[in-house]
Amino acid sequence: MTALSHLKGIIFDMDGTLVDSGLDFAAMRVEMGLRPGIPILEQLGELSQADRTAKEEILHRHEFEGAKRASMIDGADRLLQALAKEGRPMAIVTRNSTVTTRHTLSFLNIGHYFDIVICREDGPHKPDPWAILEICRRWKFTVDEVVMVGDYELDIQSAQNAGCPSVLFTEGKAPSSVEGNELATHVATHFDELYYLLAPREDSI
């Protein structure tokens, strides 16, 4: 039995974890006139409604352009197939918009894998634990029966805030180069490592 094989449900971040949309967040901040190095949604939350609306139009444009060119991260589809065969439910928690997320999942034909998809309009977004707790409520699982898999500090923080295990997926980067890596309960640098952490019954991907 591997580290996470006992878990009942798997929660994934989308962009950067399963999907590559090629979003340049630094360029997005520059175009929106936002401060560097600070998450975009948090900065938008500080603005007046008029200013926020104007900047959200820029955000939506970048996100939707990313959705139209999105591709699967190597190994992600094979992992989803293997987990689906096991019958463990899967969910997505993303800070992307509902429109962008639906387009991406449809474009890549992977929406059918996920029982639940929670986007930024649905409630408090990561690092708030609300989405993880809401998924547990719908699945009727306890927080220690699920895992949050993501590539960014906010994913890991949301898991820590919810009290569930987490996997930081670095897509080949050194874990030490990712902010918040020390908060993750597990780390996977490639999908083969993630595959064996989650323990699908097939021998290999």
Side-chain angles (χ1 to χ4, degrees), residues 91 107 130 132:
F107 176 63
W130 173 81
I132 294 174

Side-chain angles (χ1 to χ4, degrees), residues 26-59:
M28 291 162 66
R29 290 187 189 95
V30 169
E31 186 173 348
M32 286 187 276
L34 300 178
R35 303 186 301 279
I38 302 173
I40 289 172
L41 298 185
E42 279 68 15
Q43 294 196 65
L44 292 180
E46 300 170 355
L47 304 177
S48 68
Q49 185 59 52
D51 198 10
R52 176 173 179 167
T53 298
K55 294 186 190 314
E56 282 179 338
E57 290 179 1
I58 298 172
L59 175 61

Side-chain angles (χ1 to χ4, degrees), residues 133-150:
L133 298 176
E134 175 63 12
I135 289 167
C136 289
R137 184 189 69 80
R138 296 189 204 178
W139 280 345
K140 296 182 171 57
F141 294 164
T142 60
V143 290
D144 57 357
E145 292 176 321
V146 305
V147 61
M148 177 73 212
V149 182

Side-chain angles (χ1 to χ4, degrees), residues 53-154:
T53 298
K55 294 186 190 314
E56 282 179 338
E57 290 179 1
I58 298 172
L59 175 61
H60 285 302
R61 172 166 51 79
H62 278 272
E63 285 185 332
F64 202 71
E65 287 299 315
K68 291 190 290 185
R69 63 173 178 260
S71 61
M72 295 294 295
I73 291 176
D74 186 41
D77 195 39
R78 289 170 289 174
L79 175 62
L80 294 176
Q81 290 175 18
L83 291 171
K85 287 180 182 177
E86 288 201 320
R88 280 189 282 179
M90 291 180 279
I92 280 180
V93 174
T94 177
R95 286 162 59 101
N96 285 9
S97 70
T98 299
V99 170
T100 299
T101 300
R102 286 177 176 170
H103 182 90
T104 302
L105 297 178
S106 175
F107 176 63
L108 296 173
N109 193 30
I110 58 172
H112 60 282
Y113 287 121
F114 304 105
D115 293 8
I116 303 169
V117 177
I118 292 182
C119 306
R120 67 170 173 255
E121 298 93 340
D122 296 323
H125 46 71
K126 298 177 288 188
D128 193 286
W130 173 81
I132 294 174
L133 298 176
E134 175 63 12
I135 289 167
C136 289
R137 184 189 69 80
R138 296 189 204 178
W139 280 345
K140 296 182 171 57
F141 294 164
T142 60
V143 290
D144 57 357
E145 292 176 321
V146 305
V147 61
M148 177 73 212
V149 182
D151 69 310
Y152 191 50
E153 181 180 16
L154 298 178

